[in-house]
Every structure is written in C-alpha cells, then in structure tokens.
Amino acid sequence: MEYETPLFFHVMGYAARADRDVVDMVSGNPDWEPPTALREALHEYADLDSDHFQYPPSEGLRELREEVAARRGVDVEQVVITNGAGEANYLAMARALERDAGEEIILTDPVYPYYPGKTTMLGGTPRFVETAADGQLDPEDVRKVANEQTAAIVVNTPNNPTGAVYPESTVRELVAIAEEYDAIAVIDEVYDHYDLSGTFTSALTVDSDHRIVTNAFSKSMAITGFRVGYAIFPLHLVENAKSRHMLVNVAGSYPSQYAVLQALRETEPAYYEANRDLLRERVDSFTAALEAAGAEYTRPEGSFYVMARFEGYPGTLENVERLIDEAGVAGMPGEAFGTARDDWLRFALVTPRLEEAADRLAAYFE
Amino acid sequence: MEYETPLFFHVMGYAARADRDVVDMVSGNPDWEPPTALREALHEYADLDSDHFQYPPSEGLRELREEVAARRGVDVEQVVITNGAGEANYLAMARALERDAGEEIILTDPVYPYYPGKTTMLGGTPRFVETAADGQLDPEDVRKVANEQTAAIVVNTPNNPTGAVYPESTVRELVAIAEEYDAIAVIDEVYDHYDLSGTFTSALTVDSDHRIVTNAFSKSMAITGFRVGYAIFPLHLVENAKSRHMLVNVAGSYPSQYAVLQALRETEPAYYEANRDLLRERVDSFTAALEAAGAEYTRPEGSFYVMARFEGYPGTLENVERLIDEAGVAGMPGEAFGTARDDWLRFALVTPRLEEAADRLAAYFE
C-alpha cells in the first residue's frame, strides 16, 4: 500500500531551496511570538530533576489534561494529549473505523489533505461533499451521502483552506447525522482561536457520544513544532484511543507538554486577542491588495488562509513551483485540497511581507 | 477491535499511588543524569527565534538525520527520526505488513509486550518462538516457524526483559531467514549503549534490504520523556514509512530533537561509559543480594533488567501489586512478557536503592 501524502512539506522545501528571495505563504506556521511563559517554562524545565526527563503518563501530563478538561468543560477522563492535532485526528478516525460500523469517511471538497491520506492509510474509503463557494457546508448535502457504511464525518472549523466558520446549526446537524447513522462526527477545531467572525461554535456545545473534538496548541500558541494537541472523546470510545496512542507513540514529549501547561496557565487573553487582531489586519491588507490587482479571492471568517484565482493560471503544483521561481511568492496549489478549488491557490497569512507578496503577484499576473 | 496494551504504565501508577514507600524497579526510566549538553541545549533553544518553534521537517531535523547517518554508516535518506523507538517499531512493522508478503510476525517468548500489541493493532498475527533459559534465541527455532506468511521477525538486542545479547551469528541468521521468506527483520537496538558483555553486534553490520534497525536516545541519554528515536530503512522501504509517519504525527517535537542533536554532538564517550559502569555495579550488587536471599535470577549481558523467581510466588499482576503493598518493591509481572517466564518477576536496575530492595525481597520471602 502506498499513501497519498500532503504536499505541504514538499512545497516548503521547494521554496526554501529556491535560488531567489521568496515570500513564504505555504505553511500554517505562525510567524508571531509564542507566549512569554512558554519560553520561561522551557528554561525552568531544563533545570528540573532528571526524573522530569522520563516518560510522562502515556495519555499526557495529568495537570495538562485537567487544565484542558476544566477549560473545555469535560471530564478529565475524556481528554487524551496527543502529538499535535495530527495524531488526535488519526486516533479519532482510527476509532471510528474500528467500531465495525462502516468504512466510509465523509469529507468536504475542498479538504484538508491529511484527512483523505489518513482515511486511506486506515483502510477507509473517502466520500467527498462539495462545499459552497464561500466554503460553507450544507448538512443536507452530507445527509445525501451518509448511509449505513458511514463511519465518520470529518470537518474542520474554522476551515483550512476555505476560511469558513460553520454556524452552530451546521455543527449541530453534522452531529445529528452521525448519531442517525451510528457514525462519529470528528470536529477539528485547531483554528478556534482565530475566529474572526465571532460566530464560531465548538462542537463541545453539542453533547453526544457520537462526537470527537480535536484541537492543538500548535496554532493558538504559535508552536507547530512542539507537537502538543488533544482529543476529547466520549467515555465509551476513549480507552481504545489511549491504547492506540500508547502502541504507536508510547507517550508525548515531556518538555513540550510541560511548556504548554505553564503557558496555558499563565497566558492572558490579551495574547490571543493581539494575534487575532494581527490576522484581521493581514486579511484586510492582503485582500485589498488582491482586489487592487484585479484577482478573485476569498475573505476568511477564520483560520489563516486566503484563496485566490488568477485567470489562466490553475492551482497546479507545477504552477505553484513556477510562481516561486518567477514571482518569488510561495502558496499551496488548490489541487492539493481536492477538485473543487483546483483553479485556485491558497496563501497563508503568516508573514509580515503580505503587501510585498501581493505586489509581486499583481506584477506577475498583470 | 480492542488492543492488548502493555502494563508498564499501570504498574507504575499503582506503585506511585501506594500508601507506603516503594522502591520503583518497574519502569525502563534511567535514574541517572542526562548529558549536560542536553540541558544547555534546551536553554539555548528556549531563546531562539520563534521560527525554530515551528514544524521541523517531517522526517526529522536534517542535521540530526545526518549525524545519525554518519555515526551509523548509512545513507541519510535511510534515516527517519521518530517519536521514540516506539514509533520506529510501529512504522517498521506497519511497513512489513503492508508489503502483501505475509501477515504473520515472529516474536520471541518472553517478549517486549509492545510488539504483540502493535502486531494485533496492525492486523497481523503474532507467532512466538521460545528463547532458551539464558534468553538466547536459536535461529533454527525461528526457521521452524517461518513460512510464506511471515511478514517480519521482530527482536530486540540487548534484550528486554531477559538481558540476553545476541551474538553476531544470531543476528546474521535472522536477517538471512527474513531474506529467504521475503520478510523483514526488525532489530530494535535501543539498549545498544548498555551492552555489558562486549559481544553486541548491530544488525547494521549485516547489509540487507530485508532489514530495519530501530533505536532511540531515550535510554542512551536517559531521556525517555523526550521521544526522539529513529529507524534505518532500506531505501526501497523508506518512502512509505515517511508517509505513515507524516500521516500519523505530522512531525516530531522540535525542542526534543534540537536538544538531542546538541547532546549527540557534544557528549563524550566517557558519559556513556560511566552509565555502563554504574549499571555493571548494580547488576553485581543486586544479583549478589538475590543470591544471598536464595532466589533464582538471571544475570543480564545487557539492558537494565534482572529476572528473579521466588518459590511459590508466580509472576502475576496480582502478586506484583501484593509485593508493592506488602514488601515495598515494585517490579513487572513475568506474565506481562508472554508465557515462558510467567513464574518470574522483572526488576529494572534504575534506582540507587537496589540493596534495600533486595533486603526487602529477602525479608518478605524468607
């Protein structure tokens, strides 16, 4: 079996090796500062007794699980600390497929490409539901595809790549469909701190034993390289997920979890607000520049991404590499996210050089 | 599907919650100091630019892979940095099972319990080969069980729990059997720095495209909680393993990998020698105390473990918990390692309180 793997690292590597200055708008790596408390915690950790350098509990540091449980209003036993949201989604999807309640996984198109990759690797079959032009998902379209073979419905909100934030009614309906077909709704909320619309509703508000919520500190604390995330499982699904986590990874990274725990405790809301404000300004400035350049584009309600379409320049990997070499701007090809946006390019707003990038794009496409 | 998970964390938790002083001889957590350079590197990391807090390359920091490749004499493209040896073994076994060249995995009895757990989780069938009383594995016994359905032979040397170090002839023969049956020999060498016999031979000395070697810095640097390990694949198997690693974990922990890289570069052989000497002294002192107590025991050639048998006290989980409560010594039940040593208990030499533990055992069993 060979898997389809996401192209992110490939394009990032291509941009890094380019023989010219390139504005990196590929990765989901925030370019803003992590919380001060996180750096302080790492210093503190470095001097701890060496028993703190040994295995943390497999399901994560107890205090971190308690902190997450308290903030999210769930039972601490529901919380598994994972190696980022990536592992959280892997555990959730594996659990859904192993219930012997179907082997189809409903995904959106455009889709975050790790989801179909994980689906295939785990022996499931992806079924795609196309979203509207603004990225919204109509639950009735999901219902049309749902059937007795449905194991899971996997979505993320705020959405990567479309920037859509699903209203409460959509989240509620997706969980209801999962219940109806004895499937699991897996809701990846890793961009929850970057809701620019004020309309984000966590799936945790919909109580159900057919719902798993995944998240991470990667984006909210600007530490994608620390690999600390979590999944919140219904109690009847959590034991098996902990077992798979133990058999795959044994445990997560203690220094990373220690630093995140301290940062979680000590970081004020103002930190998160300032990052949201920065992102809001960047959305304004980049979309204004695209507007001035006459490009078609999406305006995100949340997450880091703007999609743009340039006449006669479809979103292929080849075109993305050409754009790196010839315009000095690196984005992601729309075709990496399925078929629905294969005419588009995705740009991540994780650089201060947005206007420069937009100018380069305007000059290149004029 | 429900998996059989190893009991380590369970027994460690039971001992930690006990209402009395307990000498911990359960875990494989070294109680000696990590390299000084590792602590220094963490301090250094904590003050780096925030772009060092973002995703490292999925397959691991390039410099770390180069350092491993140079030390092990392999091509850097063969090296995948993993979340400890645990993930390295998971990737190796998954790859072996997905080649459509069999679904049986040959394991030893006694066995490191993560191996059968991973086998079942990955849809394989474990086949056990009993080792000799001294823990040595007769390749002819492996050959008797090998067949067209054999996907992999998974062993570790120096061995946990028996302490056996396989001679070069055994390693060579295991790889030959893997080649003969189009299977993969997976050799877990995580205790390679704790060879007390001077006879350890790495499977890397046996060139073969049917051989995967796994390892980690968890034991050699006394940092089981950092989760930095690696697997060395034949080139024709590495791409799929990298893909699975990406789809499961996206990447490993950057602070952990950064600290390990610096420690690997700056730590002198004397550090490793001193830990080996400490372990050698502990083997002498603990086995002498067991001898004085009239117990039957094994004397390890490598790794951290002594197995002991006390008359009328089989190595069940119940007896281990009783020993924690009544004698104040925590070991692992022999039955956790298969059927061949279910009369025995395993004691890890990772505490300075060995003689005290042996005294307690002698008093309890006299």
Side-chain angles (χ1 to χ4, degrees), chain B residues 170-179 185 187 203 206 208 210-211:
Chain B
T170 298
V171 173
R172 197 165 289 281
E173 229 1 63
L174 293 176
V175 175
I177 297 166
E179 288 182 343
I187 322 284
V206 189
S208 169
H210 288 259
R211 178 264 292 138

Side-chain angles (χ1 to χ4, degrees), chain A residues 25-303:
Chain A
M25 302 183 73
V26 178
S27 72
N29 285 331
D31 64 311
W32 44 92
E33 268 293 296
T36 314
L38 184 114
R39 290 180 181 274
E40 289 165 0
L42 272 182
H43 279 297
E44 191 181 294
Y45 178 85
D47 293 327
L48 290 181
D49 277 353
S50 65
D51 56 343
H52 287 88
F53 287 37
Q54 308 311 322
Y55 296 120
S58 178
E59 65 266 38
L61 290 178
R62 178 76 193 183
E63 300 89 331
L64 182 54
R65 293 171 62 224
E66 286 171 351
E67 195 73 32
V68 168
R71 283 160 189 267
R72 307 310 310 266
V74 299
D75 184 335
V76 65
E77 293 309 323
Q78 297 182 257
V79 180
V80 181
I81 305 296
T82 57
N83 195 68
E87 192 205 351
N89 289 323
Y90 162 77
L91 295 179
M93 291 167 72
R95 179 69 290 220
L97 285 165
E98 286 173 353
R99 294 173 63 238
D100 295 326
E103 46 79 42
E104 293 183 5
I105 296 204
I106 299 178
L107 303 171
T108 59
D109 184 0
V111 68
Y112 177 58
Y114 278 93
Y115 302 155
K118 284 179 213 279
T119 300
T120 313
M121 181 181 74
L122 288 163
T125 308
R127 298 287 305 271
F128 293 99
V129 175
E130 196 168 324
T131 62
D134 62 359
Q136 288 294 335
L137 176 63
D138 185 343
E140 283 315 304
D141 292 339
V142 173
R143 198 179 292 277
K144 279 178 205 143
V145 173
N147 67 80
E148 292 308 319
Q149 280 310 306
T150 305
I153 304 163
V154 182
V155 298
N156 75 328
T157 175
N159 189 266
N160 174 6
T162 66
V165 172
Y166 298 164
E168 184 180 344
S169 57
T170 298
V171 174
R172 196 165 290 282
E173 222 12 54
L174 293 176
V175 176
I177 297 167
E179 288 182 344
E180 205 168 314
Y181 290 96
D182 190 19
I184 307 292
V186 179
I187 321 285
D188 175 349
E189 302 181 345
V190 75
Y191 291 100
D192 62 354
H193 284 61
Y194 300 96
D195 169 31
L196 307 177
S197 67
T199 62
F200 172 73
T201 306
S202 169
L204 289 175
T205 59
V206 189
D207 192 31
S208 169
D209 58 3
H210 288 258
R211 177 264 292 138
I212 299 172
V213 170
T214 62
N215 209 320
F217 303 96
S218 306
K219 311 291 182 182
S220 63
M221 293 189 182
I223 47 164
T224 55
F226 275 50
R227 317 306 306 132
V228 184
Y230 61 87
I232 296 175
F233 290 90
L235 285 173
H236 71 110
L237 299 178
V238 74
E239 286 311 319
N240 170 287
K242 284 184 190 172
S243 296
R244 179 174 280 265
H245 169 69
M246 189 186 292
L247 289 170
V248 170
N249 279 327
V250 184
S253 163
Y254 203 144
S256 292
Q257 291 188 20
Y258 185 90
V260 163
L261 172 62
Q262 297 300 103
L264 194 56
R265 284 175 170 162
E266 291 169 29
T267 304
E268 300 292 329
Y271 168 79
Y272 305 104
E273 278 160 25
N275 295 337
R276 234 175 350 254
D277 287 345
L278 173 69
L279 192 60
R280 201 173 272 120
E281 281 162 30
R282 286 183 177 180
V283 169
D284 287 345
S285 109
F286 191 61
T287 55
L290 288 174
E291 178 79 34
E296 195 175 354
Y297 62 88
T298 62
R299 189 183 170 81
E301 297 179 285
S303 86

Side-chain angles (χ1 to χ4, degrees), chain A residues 1 3 29 39 43 46-48 53-55 83 90 98 118 222 224-225 240 244 247 249 251 253-254 256, chain B residues 1 3 29 39 43 46-48 53-55 83 90 98 118 222 224-225 240 244 247 249 251 253-254 256:
Chain A
M1 182 193 276
Y3 323 121
N29 285 331
R39 290 180 181 274
H43 279 297
D47 293 327
L48 290 181
F53 287 37
Q54 308 311 322
Y55 296 120
N83 195 68
Y90 162 77
E98 286 173 353
K118 284 179 213 279
T224 55
N240 170 287
R244 179 174 280 265
L247 289 170
N249 279 327
S253 163
Y254 203 144
S256 292
Chain B
M1 181 192 276
Y3 323 122
N29 285 330
R39 291 180 181 275
H43 280 296
D47 294 325
L48 289 181
F53 286 36
Q54 309 310 322
Y55 296 120
N83 195 68
Y90 162 77
E98 288 173 352
K118 285 181 213 279
T224 55
N240 171 286
R244 179 174 280 265
L247 289 170
N249 280 328
S253 164
Y254 202 144
S256 293

Side-chain angles (χ1 to χ4, degrees), chain A residues 288-349:
Chain A
L290 288 174
E291 178 79 34
E296 195 175 354
Y297 62 88
T298 62
R299 189 183 170 81
E301 297 179 285
S303 86
F304 298 167
Y305 310 101
V306 167
M307 301 202 77
R309 174 153 65 174
F310 299 95
E311 198 59 34
Y313 203 85
T316 61
L317 178 58
E318 194 191 347
N319 275 342
V320 159
E321 294 182 349
R322 189 143 62 107
L323 202 62
I324 291 169
D325 293 327
E326 298 179 4
V329 178
M332 276 292 289
E335 67 174 15
F337 303 95
T339 59
R341 294 292 186 288
D342 58 7
D343 261 5
W344 297 66
L345 301 169
R346 190 201 75 171
F347 296 99
L349 307 183

